[in-house]
Structure formats: C-alpha cells, structure tokens
Amino acid sequence: MNRQRLRKLILLSILLLASARLTIAAEEGEHSFLWLKDKLDKLPFQHLVLDPDARIYTLPLGDGQEAVSTIQPDLQRMAERALTLYNINYGSVVILNPKTGAVLAMAGYKQGNSSYSLDNDSCNLANSLALKARHPAASIIKVITASAALENKVARPESTFSCSGKLIDRRDGCLLSDPTHVRHGEIDLSLALAKSCNVTFGKVAALLGPASLKEYTRRFGFDEALDFDLSVEPSRATVPGNIKGLARAGAGFGDVMMSPLHGALLAATVANHGRMFRPYLFAEVRDETGKLLFRQEPQVMMRPVEAATAYQIGRMMEETITEGTARRSFYKQGKPILPVEIAGKTGTLTGGNPNGVCTWFVGFAPADDPRIAISVLVVNHSRSGTKSTRIASRVLAAYFEVDPIPEKKYIATNSPQKYEKRYAATNSPPKYHVVKRGENLWTIAGKYKVSLKVLKQANRLHSSSLKVGQKLAIPGRGGTSISSDSLVALRPEVAPPVKIVASASAGHSIPAARPTKLHVVKKGDSLWKIAEKYGVSWKDLKRVNSLRSNHLKVGQKLTVPGSREKQVTSASDAHFASADQPAKLHVVKKGESLWEIAEKYGVSWKDLKRVNSLRSNRLTVGQELTVPG
C-alpha cells in the first residue's frame, strides 16, 4: 500500500511540474501556441498583410513582432476568385494541408461586400464566415454516421439496405424521406453515401443508437472548443433519444451546426488515416531583428477512427464524385475534368444564420495521396443559385493547373443581356417615356436603342401589355444614345462604337423603328402567313395582341408590331453593311474577350464564334481569329 501511494505521489508531482512549466512558458513567451493565441486574442483588429517580395502573409503583433501565416497567396486568390465568379449570396472556402493541419487558404464572401478579401485593409479575420458554426452540416454528418457504423460493426460498405423513398415507423409515421421521394431500391452503404440516401442512413442511425452516434460526433470534435490560433465557434450536434429524432440526426436533418473550418478538418481526418491534426494559421513568430521566437509543429489533436475505417470511408467518398451527387460538377461529357481522383461528400439543407439554402462540399485530393483538404459552404436565398460543388471543382481545377480562374471583369459578359447592362451604367440621369396610342414595347425599345429584356426588368413589367399614358423609365439613358465619354470612362480598354449620324446629302436615312400597322384578317389568313407578310415573329404577333390560341376570325383586327429596318446612314458608312468586305485577322491580346473583339470590328459575336468554330467563349493570348467581312 505504501509503494502504491508513493507511486501516486510521484506521478502527481510530475504532472504538477509539467503544468507549471507550461504556464511559465505561456507567460514568458517561450515556444508555446498558448502564448501566440493569447497575443492574437488581445489584438483589436486582425488583418493579414501581403509581403509582395517574400510572397507571404504576415500579421503585426506589436512590439516589432510579426506572425508569418501559412496561407499561400496564389491559392488564396484562387479561392476568392471562385467565390466572386458566380452569383451567390454568401460563401466560404477553407483549404488545409491534411498531413500537418496548416491552413493554406481561408476565403469568405458576402454579396455586395468586397471587404472579405484578405488584400482589403478592412478585412478582419475574426469576422470570417469560415470560423462561424451557424449553418446546418446537412448530409456531411453521414460521414460520421458511416464511420460509427463501420467501427461498431453495424454495417460494412457492401451491406445492402432497402430504400422505398420514405422511412416509416408504425408508431411515429414517416420519419424522413429522400428528395422528391426517390426510390433507390436495394442499395449498399457505399453507394448510399455517394447518393446521400436519407432512408438508408436513418436506418443505420437507428441501428447505432443515440449513445454511439453521440460518442462519434464528440470524437470528431463536435460540442467541444476547437483548438485554433483564432477564436472559432464550436460546432454542435444534438442527438435525440427518440427514434424519429435519432434517424433524422443521423441522416443530416437534426440540430447539427458546423463551421467551414471544421468541415475541412473532417475531410482531412479521413485523408490522414483517421488522425485529426490541430489546425493552425501561423507558422512562426519573429521579432524586428528576424529572430525566431516561436514555430508551430504539427500536433495530432485526436484520433476519431482507426486507419482501416478511414480508408474505407475515403473509398466510399470517391464514389460521390464518380457516381454520386457531385458527378455533374466534376465530369464533363462523361469524362473527369481533373487529372487526379477526388474524394468528397455533399450536403444541402435550408436554415442557418444568415438563413438560406446551404450547400456543402468537403473532400480531399488526390484521393490516393492527399495534398489538400477542402471545405466549401455556399448560402443562397433560392435553390437556383450556384452549388458548392461547382465552386469546389473550379478551385481544384485551378490548383491542379487544369483550368485557371479568370478575373471577374473578363467573364462578366457571358450573355448579350449582361453585356448591355454594362453599357447602361452611365452617369446620365434616367429618361422617361410616356406611352402613346399605337406604341408597344418593341417600338419604344427600338427608339431608345435598349434591350427589350432590360426595359422590362427596369420597369418590373410581367407582361408586354402597355396602357396609354403609362410612364416607362429608360434604364441608364440620358438621351437616345450613349455618349462616347461615358463609354471611355467605363471601359478604357475598349474603343467606343462608331456613332452613326444622319446625312441628308448622302440620301440615306438613320436606322429607325417601323411604325405599328393594323391588319384585318381575311379568309384564308393564318397567324404564320400574317407574320411572314410583315416580316415579324408570329410569337411577337401573338403576344402583342394577347391571343390565347392560334385561331383567327375573319374581320378580326390585329396590331402588327414594328420592326427595325436595316439601313445605313451615309455613303461613307456603307462599307459597314457590305457583305463583300474581305475578312480580317485578329490576334488576341491580354484582357480581350469575344464581345470586345466583335464590338471593335462591328460584327456579331455569334458570327465571330461561328466563323472560327469556337466551342466556348474562352480565348487564349496569341490566338488568331478570322473576323468576317
């Protein structure tokens, strides 16, 4: 008994001595991440500064000290560009090194707010969406449910389950269902994870029980403070004891909130044989003389699952890319867009703060020898917005040098409507038009040389019907044409279009809108014959006259919408309309786009694309284009 007490006393004294040394190290500034975390917490504003010579980000700590960040500027720029490339409301991208835990990129985005870029002085890291656990983890939780099932030998990857589209309990009724009640039939656990089958994972959660599922959510870091250089909101997972709540929680419908940083850690854990490394944002701290004060070392924070389980989960996550919910974003015409194999998991659920449709993607690449782990969260106000898988595929394609992400200003003209909106952004006051008898949207749009769609959007018109005396706003137009000065101010790299002026001496008239006509239906007339007679579309003819069917009556009066006449202004400008003009050769320069080249030569961008047999709108510097006459 005395020997056992002596051993306990010795062990207790060793532990007390070790804790005292850690406390002294933290207070005196020795090599401890606690010392660094304490200094970071005391900073009122945390903003990284890019050193252009060393190509690194640093954070001034005061007293001449600065912390060197692990963020790679090129990878950070890729993530920021990918978020601004698409029309999303909120988004975040986190990229880790799964073998060390170093944060390689941490980007956030909020629509209409440019301060989320690290290069902006107003960007505060503490406000980053990547560190907030305010959105539902959705089907990402299925990775944990599958891991618990494999470890507890409840199921194997090849274990089959029956999915009828709904999970129904005799006492509680319908527990959960798949989107649009998809019936997967007999499906194994591996494919169920790839296709995110809710019914299958509801059954697996019921077999596990609440205690086991709660234990594995805790193992993966939920309901615990995440050890990181900056303050991170802890992810939480509520696992109810009743069968309905348990099934919904295991399938991703429960009260489970997760931060994007935690999502990247989850993918990194699977990639790194079940070991979760402590994430860190700063590699080292130096003083004003360059002396090294502190250096981060990779530390295994926890080991949620065994290496064999992590390997099986990784192979199951590969099927998400090849056969599951992410295939559409990573495959094009039946072929993978990346030269390496990817492992990932998707999730979609409405909720969170800010509220919206949350789409997740967590994964790692390459699947056989992971170099990066990625987490993407996208929040949109509608389901029609861009999904997280699309942004993840663009970031990974840029990382593996398959498809670089362009600047937003070069791809903001993917359609003629968007191209016209750029011209409409002038500083001139808007012009208003009062509708007169016999006028319609087509004639008014032709008069002011604006797009019909832009005119309808500006006035929030749900139909093409107008009333006499109705007041219409002409978007961005101070007159009947846009001034050259406004064009140059908007886009200095593009020459303003040639302004056509009427010349009476030349004997030519300006392009004008043909006035509307009235047609009385005769015997044998049809909608198509009348449209062909006046050179208008039969759909426009039907829309203008509010016809519900194609049947006409003899004596019926139809309003024929006006159309634009193809005329030139003067003899000197006649060569613009000449079809015999010889073709020209244009060499693409840096920053040029298909629309800019078409405008420069006064041709249609569709004709330019068709003549050169271009399959996409992307151009490369030095590419030779034939400009049609």
Side-chain angles (χ1 to χ4, degrees):
M1 290 294 292
N2 292 334
R3 289 183 180 179
Q4 290 181 354
R5 288 180 180 178
L6 183 61
R7 288 177 182 175
K8 289 182 179 180
L9 288 173
I10 293 173
L11 183 60
L12 181 61
S13 60
I14 292 174
L15 291 174
L16 289 173
L17 183 62
S19 62
R21 286 185 176 181
L22 283 175
T23 304
I24 294 171
E27 292 176 354
E28 296 180 359
E30 294 183 3
H31 294 215
S32 169
F33 66 87
L34 297 175
W35 166 76
L36 174 61
K37 186 174 178 61
D38 183 62
K39 290 187 73 71
L40 292 172
D41 291 339
K42 292 179 180 179
L43 290 178
F45 193 82
Q46 299 161 349
H47 170 63
L48 296 181
V49 180
L50 178 63
D51 186 349
D53 298 328
R55 302 292 299 162
I56 57 173
Y57 280 105
T58 59
L59 176 66
L61 299 177
D63 301 329
Q65 300 174 354
E66 65 176 11
V68 180
S69 177
T70 57
I71 289 182
Q72 299 179 2
D74 293 338
L75 196 56
Q76 176 70 21
R77 194 169 294 109
M78 290 178 195
E80 290 178 353
R81 284 185 183 179
L83 289 172
T84 57
L85 186 63
Y86 301 99
N87 185 24
I88 65 174
N89 297 114
Y90 302 90
S92 177
V93 176
V94 178
I95 301 177
L96 301 177
N97 183 343
K99 297 180 180 179
T100 62
V103 178
L104 305 181
M106 190 172 70
Y109 174 77
K110 179 182 178 182
Q111 193 175 47
N113 188 353
S114 61
S115 65
Y116 275 71
S117 172
L118 287 186
D119 294 335
N120 194 307
D121 293 337
S122 61
C123 175
N124 191 356
L125 290 174
N127 296 332
S128 176
L129 183 64
L131 307 180
K132 309 296 183 183
R134 300 178 182 177
H135 292 90
S139 292
I140 306 299
I141 198 69
K142 291 174 182 173
V143 174
I144 300 178
T145 306
S147 300
L150 296 179
E151 293 254 303
N152 288 278
K153 302 187 186 313
V154 170
R156 293 179 295 178
E158 61 273 12
S159 299
T160 58
F161 296 85
S162 177
C163 171
S164 60
K166 292 182 179 181
L167 182 58
I168 299 176
D169 184 71
R170 292 181 179 178
R171 184 179 61 182
D172 297 328
C174 182
L175 304 182
L176 52 85
S177 62
D178 280 287
T180 64
H181 306 298
V182 175
R183 297 184 178 182
H184 294 110
E186 294 294 323
I187 186 171
D188 59 39
L189 185 64
S190 181
L191 191 59
L193 183 68
K195 292 187 176 294
S196 201
C197 178
N198 298 326
V199 173
T200 297
F201 277 90
K203 293 180 178 180
V204 172
L207 293 174
L208 280 171
S212 181
L213 185 59
K214 183 67 177 178
E215 170 64 18
Y216 275 86
T217 56
R218 186 194 61 78
R219 286 190 183 187
F220 276 93
F222 284 84
D223 297 314
E224 293 184 0
L226 194 61
D227 195 2
F228 187 56
D229 296 343
L230 304 177
S231 297
V232 186
E233 289 185 5
S235 302
R236 69 176 189 271
T238 303
V239 181
N242 58 77
I243 185 65
K244 184 174 183 178
L246 176 61
R248 293 181 63 82
F253 292 91
D255 183 16
V256 182
M257 298 293 180
M258 183 177 68
S259 64
L261 177 64
H262 200 164
L265 272 178
L266 196 150
T269 302
V270 178
N272 203 27
H273 313 295
R275 296 178 297 174
M276 182 182 289
F277 275 85
R278 176 187 175 272
Y280 59 93
L281 186 62
F282 299 99
E284 57 186 34
V285 178
R286 295 183 180 272
D287 61 11
E288 55 187 357
T289 63
K291 179 182 177 182
L292 181 66
L293 300 179
F294 167 70
R295 174 173 290 166
Q296 292 269 19
E297 296 294 338
Q299 301 177 14
V300 177
M301 192 165 54
M302 56 186 73
R303 187 159 190 160
V305 293
E306 297 296 328
T309 304
Y311 175 80
Q312 290 177 316
I313 295 294
R315 301 292 77 78
M316 293 163 67
M317 290 172 67
E318 287 184 45
E319 292 190 37
T320 303
I321 309 298
T322 58
E323 301 180 50
T325 52
R327 177 182 171 85
R328 184 177 296 180
S329 298
F330 287 89
Y331 276 73
K332 188 175 182 180
Q333 296 179 351
K335 296 181 180 180
I337 62 175
L338 297 176
V340 298
E341 292 183 348
I342 312 294
K345 182 69 188 81
T346 63
T348 304
L349 196 63
T350 301
N353 181 23
N355 189 37
V357 180
C358 307
T359 60
W360 284 92
F361 178 84
V362 301
F364 53 90
D368 52 350
D369 185 19
R371 295 204 301 251
I372 62 171
I374 184 172
S375 170
V376 181
L377 168 64
V378 171
V379 183
N380 287 313
H381 294 322
S382 65
R383 289 188 173 272
S384 60
T386 304
K387 304 297 187 294
S388 58
T389 52
R390 179 61 178 157
I391 294 177
S393 66
R394 288 305 301 266
V395 173
L396 291 173
Y399 178 81
F400 290 105
E401 300 179 353
V402 175
D403 185 12
I405 302 175
E407 297 265 2
K408 186 177 182 180
K409 63 179 181 180
Y410 295 131
I411 55 94
T413 57
N414 288 336
S415 65
Q417 287 80 9
K418 291 183 179 179
Y419 194 57
E420 290 167 1
K421 287 179 182 178
R422 298 178 71 176
Y423 281 112
T426 62
N427 295 323
S428 57
K431 190 176 183 68
Y432 292 94
H433 177 86
V434 180
V435 178
K436 301 176 183 178
R437 183 178 295 276
E439 286 186 326
N440 55 46
L441 273 178
W442 289 266
T443 58
I444 298 171
K447 179 180 179 180
Y448 293 99
K449 301 177 184 178
V450 295
S451 167
L452 182 66
K453 184 174 182 179
V454 173
L455 186 62
K456 290 183 70 174
Q457 288 178 347
N459 293 276
R460 297 182 178 179
L461 300 177
H462 298 289
S463 68
S464 302
S465 302
L466 298 177
K467 296 181 180 179
V468 176
Q470 185 176 351
K471 196 175 182 181
L472 295 180
I474 311 300
R477 304 291 173 170
T480 56
S481 64
I482 304 175
S483 64
S484 300
D485 297 336
S486 300
L487 279 175
V488 174
L490 268 175
R491 302 175 63 192
E493 72 276 12
V494 180
V498 178
K499 188 175 181 181
I500 302 177
V501 184
S503 174
S505 60
H508 298 278
S509 61
I510 62 171
R514 184 188 301 169
T516 56
K517 296 182 180 180
L518 195 66
H519 178 85
V520 180
V521 178
K522 301 176 183 178
K523 188 175 181 179
D525 278 349
S526 67
L527 202 63
W528 294 271
K529 287 183 180 180
I530 299 172
E532 184 179 2
K533 177 181 178 181
Y534 292 98
V536 295
S537 168
W538 68 272
K539 291 184 179 179
D540 294 341
L541 189 62
K542 186 176 179 180
R543 191 181 301 115
V544 168
N545 292 276
S546 303
L547 300 178
R548 296 185 177 181
S549 67
N550 299 332
H551 298 289
L552 301 177
K553 296 181 180 180
V554 177
Q556 184 178 355
K557 295 181 180 180
L558 296 179
T559 301
V560 181
S563 60
R564 298 286 300 275
E565 295 180 357
K566 298 181 180 179
Q567 298 173 339
V568 293
T569 61
S570 63
S572 60
D573 295 328
H575 70 279
F576 282 102
S578 175
D580 298 329
Q581 184 181 355
K584 297 180 181 180
L585 192 67
H586 178 84
V587 180
V588 178
K589 300 176 182 178
K590 186 176 181 180
E592 286 186 325
S593 67
L594 197 65
W595 297 271
E596 294 169 351
I597 298 171
E599 182 190 2
K600 180 178 179 181
Y601 291 97
V603 297
S604 168
W605 66 272
K606 292 185 178 180
D607 293 340
L608 188 62
K609 187 176 179 180
R610 191 181 301 112
V611 168
N612 292 274
S613 302
L614 300 178
R615 294 186 177 181
S616 68
N617 299 331
R618 295 191 182 92
L619 301 178
T620 56
V621 177
Q623 183 177 354
E624 294 183 349
L625 295 180
T626 301
V627 182

